[in-house]
Every structure is written in C-alpha cells, then in structure tokens.
C-alpha cells in the first residue's frame, strides 16, 4: 500500500491566523487525495476530495473559501485553514486513493491536530 | 444509500476474554470492507481488509473478521484481548469504483484487568 505522511503532526495557532497542512504520498503517485476531519470521540467526516491539477470537490456544509485545498503534484496536497477559529480545532487526516485494482481502498496519513486559541 | 453501522458505541471486556465488534453495511454492490484501530491522539491503523475470496480474513495483532453477505456484516473478532487493545475501532466500506468510502461511528473498547 501507499505510505502517506502529514506535516505538521500538530499545530497551535491564534484565532484569525491561517494554517497550512501538508499531505504527501511518499511512494505512490496519487491523482486523488482526500481530507477528513475528526472531532473528539467522533468518526471521520470527509471534507473534500482533492484532484491533482483541478479544483477540489467539497462535501456539503464545508466552506471552500475557508478550507483551501491545493493538489499541485501527484505527491502533495495541502489544506489551508484560513482565518482559523477555535471551532476549527480538530484532527485533520488525509488519505490517498489506491491505484489500479485497489480503487476502493484508501491509505491514511497519521493526522494533524490543530488547536486554535 | 450506502452506510456503515456499528451498533455498539462502547464495549468493556476483561483482559483475556474474547471480543466481537459488530459492523453492518448497506451497499448496492460488492463492497470492500476494512477495520481500523485508532489509539487516543493517533491516526488510523489498518487491522484487516476484505476485497474478495475467503470470507474469513486474518489481520494484524491477532484480529480476524468474517464477511457474511447474507447478513451484510463484517464483524471483528479476537479470541483473547490484551490491555493494549483498548482503543477506538472503526469499520469502513469502500467502493470498487469512484471515491466513496464510508466510516462507521466507531466502537470504543475498554479492557479491564
């Protein structure tokens, strides 16, 4: 399977600032990546699907202007939380869709914990 | 609509006892099925997966799961639980086409000595 990394693993920021989270596919060219958010004691909720070279597709209720996604290469997708507020504090996890024969599988990064003060 | 149900929000077992975590899915085609474990503050770790073939799947850490198409279930089992198994467990369903991937709400496992 694919190895996925995220950076940073945790970040603390002040309210109103922007934070960028990187998701890298280390050994696999990923045309499609996904961004999830997980609140404490809850399951993962899909935020958006990131497609290399095109605009991301956002799930209903996710503000695309607040959560900016850029998938500029086959190995890197970034999520920028703009003008972060305390309610944006969460665990953000990215994933990579499997390749041929494994399209239905996703490989997950270790997650990034965002705390907004 | 596709969905994944984990009926048990929280389960407590004694160390050494057997464990079964339930997962039911609703999906129109043949699903890809997964079980993940998540320790507090950590990411997801894949325990096992089912794509096709033998319906009894062996995973890491002594876990196994059985795909029962007639019951739309993919229950996770372990014959003897260790204290280190205490964590959150998620069942998930993926589609063999498209991007759909659905998580259950999770089952929190507590292991008592």
């Amino acid at each position: 399977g694919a190895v996925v990394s995220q950076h940073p693993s945790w970040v603390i920021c002040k309210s109103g600032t922007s934070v960028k989270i990187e998701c890298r596919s280390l050994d696999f060219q990923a045309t499609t990546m996904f961004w999830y958010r997980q609140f404490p004691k809850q399951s993962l909720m899909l935020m958006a699907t990131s497609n290399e070279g095109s605009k991301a597709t956002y799930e209903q209720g996710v503000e695309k202007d607040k959560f900016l996604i850029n998938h500029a290469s086959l190995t890197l997708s970034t999520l920028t939380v703009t003008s972060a507020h305390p309610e944006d504090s969460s665990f953000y996890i990215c994933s990579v869709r499997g390749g041929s024969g494994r399209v239905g599988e996703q490989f997950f990064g270790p997650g990034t914990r965002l705390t907004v003060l | 609509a596709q969905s994944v149900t984990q009926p048990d929000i929280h389960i407590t077992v004694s160390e050494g006892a057997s464990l079964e975590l339930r997962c039911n899915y609703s999906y129109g085609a043949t699903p890809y099925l997964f079980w993940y474990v998540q320790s507090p503050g950590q990411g997801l770790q894949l325990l096992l997966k089912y794509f096709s073939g033998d319906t009894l799947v062996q995973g890491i850490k002594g876990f196994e799961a059985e795909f029962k198409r007639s019951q739309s279930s993919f229950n996770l089992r372990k014959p003897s639980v260790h204290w280190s198994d205490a964590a959150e467990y998620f069942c998930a369903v993926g589609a063999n086409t498209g991007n759909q991937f659905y998580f259950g709400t999770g089952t929190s496992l507590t292991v008592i000595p």
Side-chain angles (χ1 to χ4, degrees):
Chain A
V3 179
V4 182
S5 70
Q6 286 184 238
H7 178 79
S9 56
W10 59 270
V11 56
I12 301 173
C13 70
K14 293 182 179 180
S15 184
T17 61
S18 294
V19 174
K20 180 184 285 188
I21 302 170
E22 294 184 347
C23 176
R24 292 184 183 274
S25 177
L26 299 182
D27 59 351
F28 181 76
Q29 292 189 324
T31 56
T32 304
M33 292 185 177
F34 305 90
W35 287 96
Y36 293 83
R37 180 168 54 185
Q38 184 183 31
F39 291 110
K41 305 289 187 183
Q42 295 188 24
S43 188
L44 281 73
M45 298 298 295
L46 180 65
M47 299 175 64
T49 301
S50 169
N51 300 296
E52 187 267 336
S54 64
K55 292 183 178 181
T57 303
Y58 291 82
E59 295 298 302
Q60 190 173 8
V62 177
E63 299 176 57
K64 63 179 181 180
D65 294 330
K66 181 170 185 61
F67 299 100
L68 300 179
I69 292 173
N70 183 279
H71 192 160
S73 77
L74 289 173
T75 60
L76 174 65
S77 176
T78 60
L79 169 68
T80 301
V81 183
T82 62
S83 187
H85 289 93
E87 58 265 30
D88 298 324
S89 298
S90 188
F91 195 51
Y92 292 87
I93 302 175
C94 72
S95 70
V96 168
R97 190 178 72 176
S100 176
R102 287 292 183 263
V103 171
E105 185 169 8
Q106 293 187 15
F107 303 94
F108 292 88
T112 296
R113 184 161 304 283
L114 170 63
T115 301
V116 184
L117 303 177
Chain B
Q2 294 84 352
S3 66
V4 180
T5 302
Q6 293 181 246
D8 305 303
I9 296 174
H10 185 235
I11 284 182
T12 299
V13 298
S14 298
E15 190 169 17
S18 63
L19 171 71
E20 182 170 32
L21 302 182
R22 296 183 290 167
C23 173
N24 293 95
Y25 67 90
S26 173
Y27 187 70
T30 300
Y32 290 174
L33 297 161
F34 307 85
W35 273 100
Y36 295 89
V37 61
Q38 185 180 36
S39 297
Q42 302 297 311
L44 299 176
Q45 181 179 25
L46 178 66
L47 286 175
L48 47 78
K49 59 189 177 185
Y50 172 79
F51 283 2
S52 64
D54 192 346
T55 56
L56 184 62
V57 181
Q58 301 298 320
I60 62 171
K61 302 185 178 185
F63 286 92
E64 67 177 26
E66 186 171 13
F67 171 54
K68 293 185 177 180
R69 184 186 300 274
S70 62
Q71 299 178 19
S72 297
S73 69
F74 189 58
N75 295 347
L76 182 71
R77 300 193 294 251
K78 186 170 185 177
S80 178
V81 171
H82 188 263
W83 63 266
S84 60
D85 293 324
E88 190 81 18
Y89 290 80
F90 292 99
C91 179
V93 173
N96 56 7
T97 59
N99 293 328
Q100 295 89 345
F101 201 85
Y102 304 94
F103 280 95
T105 51
T107 297
S108 176
L109 175 65
T110 297
V111 180
I112 55 177

